[in-house]
Amino acid sequence: MTQKNSRKPKRDEDYALAAVPAAARKGFWSMFVVMMGFTFFSASMSVGAKLGNGLDLGGFLWAVVIGGVILGAYTGGLAYVGCDTGLTLDLLARRSFGTAGSKLASVLIAFTQIGWFGVGVAMFAIPAAELLHIHPVLLVVLAGLCMTASAYFGIKALTVVSAISVPLIAVLGVYSMVRSAADGGGLVRIFSQSAGSLTLLSGVGLVIGSFVSGGTATPNFVRFAKSNAVAVSTTAIAFFLGNSLMFAFGAVGGAFTGKDDIFYVMIAQGLAIPALIVLGANIWTTNNNALYTGGLGLTNITGLRQKPMTLVSGLVGTALAIWLYNNFVGWLNFLNATLPPVGIVVMLDYFLHRTAYRAQEPPRRRVHWGAVAGVAAGAAVGNFVTAGIASINAMLAAAVCYLLGEKLLYSKEEKTSC
C-alpha cells in the first residue's frame, strides 16, 4: 500500500502566468482602493509643487484637467484590455510583441519599476533620517525590507496597505492645502506669487509624465476586476481624481512656501511628524505596486514564480536605493519614454485581434517586429523631439511603426491562415 502525498501544489493566487478566473475577481470598492493607493504618490505632490510654483491658478487647473483626461483615457484603455483578458501586461505583451519580443517589454517595465521602488525607498528614508538624526542606510534597509515583505503577499496586501494609507494622505493633504490657502490670503494670491516660469503645454506634459510610466502597468491590477465597467471606472476615477488631489495638495503648499519637495513643504508648515508617518505610508502603497509589477516582469523573463521574483526585485531595489536616488532619476526618465509605446502597442494589438485574445489563442509569432520597432522609435522620439508632449509623441511614433508592421509584414500571413 503506497502512501499518497497529501501535499497539494501551491496555488498562484496572483495568476502571474495565467488569466485571472471569474472566482478570483473583485468588486468596485476593492479595486478602487487599490487604484487610488497606486495614484496617491508623494512624487506627484512634488510635481504639483512645481506646477504651483510655475503657473497661475487658471493655468494650474487647466493643466490638471487636460493632463488628467489624457492620462485617464490611456490608463482606462489599458484597464479595459487587462480586465477583458484577465492577463498581466507581460502576458499581453507575449501576444502583441511575440513570445521572445515580449521579453523586451518585460525588461523595460521591470527595470523601470524596480528603479522607482528604490527611488521611493530613498525618497522616504533620506529626509526621515535627517529629521530623526539617524543614518539613512539603516532606514533604507528597514523600509525596503518592510515594503518588500508586504508586496510579497500580492494583491491582498496591496488592498490592505492602500486602505490604510489613502484616507491618511487625504486628511493630511486637505489640512495642508486649507492651511496654506488661509495663511497665504487665498488661492489666487498664492499662485500669483511665482507664476510664469511654466507654459500651459509644459504643465500638461508634467501632469501626464508624472504617472504615464506607472500607468502602463494598469492591467497588472485591474485584471482582478469583476467587469470591464468596474475596471475602467475605478482606473479613470483614480487617475483623474487621485492624481488631481495629489497635484492640488502639492501645488497649494508649494506655491505658498516656494519649495518643490513636498516633505520639506510640510516641514515648513510645522507638519514634520505627520508628514513622516503619512508620506511614508503613501510611498509604501505605490512602491508595493511598483515591486509587484517588477516581480511580474521578471517572471515573464525567467519563467520562475512571481513571489520569489518579487523578493529579488525588492532586494535589488533596496540595495541600490541611495545610488538610484542620487544618480538614476535621469536614466529612469529616459526609460519612462519607452513605456507609453509598450502600452499603446498592447492596446492596438488587442483591439485589432480581439477574437484571438478572448479565445485565449497562443501567441502567433516569436517576435512582432513592428511592435519592437515601435518601442525603439517611440523611445527615440519621446526623448529627442522637443516639441509637444514627450509621452504622446512617443505613443504616436510607436503606433505608426506597429500599424506599418501589421500591414507590411503580417497582413499576407493572416490572409493565408484564414
Side-chain angles (χ1 to χ4, degrees):
M1 184 175 179
T2 59
Q3 185 178 0
K4 292 183 179 180
N5 188 355
S6 60
R7 290 185 180 180
K8 295 181 179 180
K10 291 183 178 180
R11 184 168 59 92
D12 179 10
E13 294 183 351
D14 286 295
Y15 305 98
L17 295 173
V20 178
R25 300 295 183 111
K26 302 177 184 296
F28 179 90
W29 289 111
S30 293
M31 296 311 308
F32 182 67
V33 166
V34 169
M35 297 310 293
M36 284 294 281
F38 190 27
T39 59
F40 269 37
F41 187 32
S42 299
S44 297
M45 287 194 279
S46 293
V47 171
K50 290 180 174 63
L51 294 171
N53 283 315
L55 295 168
D56 61 17
L57 181 59
F60 169 75
L61 293 174
W62 276 114
V64 169
V65 169
I66 296 170
V69 167
I70 294 171
L71 195 57
Y74 172 68
T75 56
L78 285 168
Y80 183 92
V81 175
C83 179
D84 199 53
T85 60
L87 300 175
T88 67
L89 181 66
D90 300 279
L91 293 183
L92 290 167
R94 285 189 182 184
R95 289 161 169 76
S96 52
F97 286 81
T99 53
S102 71
K103 296 188 186 301
L104 168 65
S106 293
V107 165
L108 294 171
I109 294 160
F111 188 45
T112 304
Q113 295 307 301
I114 292 169
W116 278 123
F117 170 83
V119 171
V121 170
M123 188 185 298
F124 164 73
I126 290 173
E130 181 182 323
L131 185 66
L132 298 173
H133 304 291
I134 61 177
H135 201 287
V137 172
L138 177 61
L139 270 186
V140 164
V141 172
L142 289 175
L145 292 178
C146 289
M147 293 175 188
T148 300
S150 60
Y152 176 82
F153 293 100
I155 195 70
K156 290 182 179 179
L158 299 184
T159 305
V160 172
V161 174
S162 297
I164 295 170
S165 67
V166 167
L168 290 176
I169 194 64
V171 171
L172 181 64
V174 169
Y175 177 80
S176 172
M177 185 169 61
V178 171
R179 181 171 171 177
S180 297
D183 292 345
L187 294 177
V188 174
R189 183 175 178 182
I190 289 173
F191 276 85
S192 65
Q193 291 178 152
S194 57
S197 60
L198 282 177
T199 65
L200 177 59
L201 185 63
S202 298
V204 172
L206 280 174
V207 170
I208 297 171
S210 68
F211 224 92
V212 71
S213 63
T216 303
T218 295
N220 290 341
F221 313 108
V222 295
R223 62 198 172 101
F224 286 92
K226 279 189 174 180
S227 68
N228 293 334
V230 168
V232 174
S233 61
T234 54
T235 300
I237 293 170
F239 271 90
F240 184 79
L241 176 62
N243 267 3
S244 297
L245 287 173
M246 291 295 99
F247 294 138
F249 295 160
V252 178
F256 176 60
T257 63
K259 298 181 182 296
D260 285 343
D261 189 307
I262 190 61
F263 194 87
Y264 294 107
V265 166
M266 292 190 173
I267 288 176
Q269 293 180 306
L271 299 172
I273 299 303
L276 184 66
I277 297 170
V278 175
L279 294 181
N282 173 248
I283 289 173
W284 195 322
T285 59
T286 306
N287 260 13
N288 269 196
N289 285 274
L291 206 56
Y292 183 73
T293 295
L296 289 172
L298 292 184
T299 294
N300 185 47
I301 296 165
T302 64
L304 300 174
R305 292 176 60 242
Q306 182 255 337
K307 288 186 182 295
M309 291 299 95
T310 299
L311 292 179
V312 170
S313 300
L315 292 174
V316 171
T318 301
L320 298 176
I322 294 178
W323 181 85
L324 288 166
Y325 183 78
N326 291 328
N327 301 286
F328 206 52
V329 173
W331 176 235
L332 284 171
N333 287 336
F334 173 82
L335 287 176
N336 283 348
T338 68
L339 293 189
V342 172
I344 201 68
V345 165
V346 165
M347 279 192 279
L348 284 172
D349 194 75
Y350 167 80
F351 285 112
L352 286 175
H353 307 288
R354 190 183 312 189
T355 302
Y357 277 79
R358 287 181 169 174
Q360 297 186 7
E361 294 179 7
R364 292 166 295 166
R365 53 184 70 92
R366 281 182 53 78
V367 179
H368 189 304
W369 291 108
V372 172
V375 171
V381 170
N383 281 285
F384 300 116
V385 174
T386 56
I389 297 171
S391 53
I392 293 179
N393 293 341
M395 286 190 277
L396 290 173
V400 169
C401 287
Y402 168 81
L403 292 172
L404 283 174
E406 281 284 291
K407 182 70 175 177
L408 300 177
L409 300 176
Y410 302 117
S411 59
K412 292 182 180 179
E413 171 189 312
E414 291 182 357
K415 287 178 182 178
T416 304
S417 63
C418 289

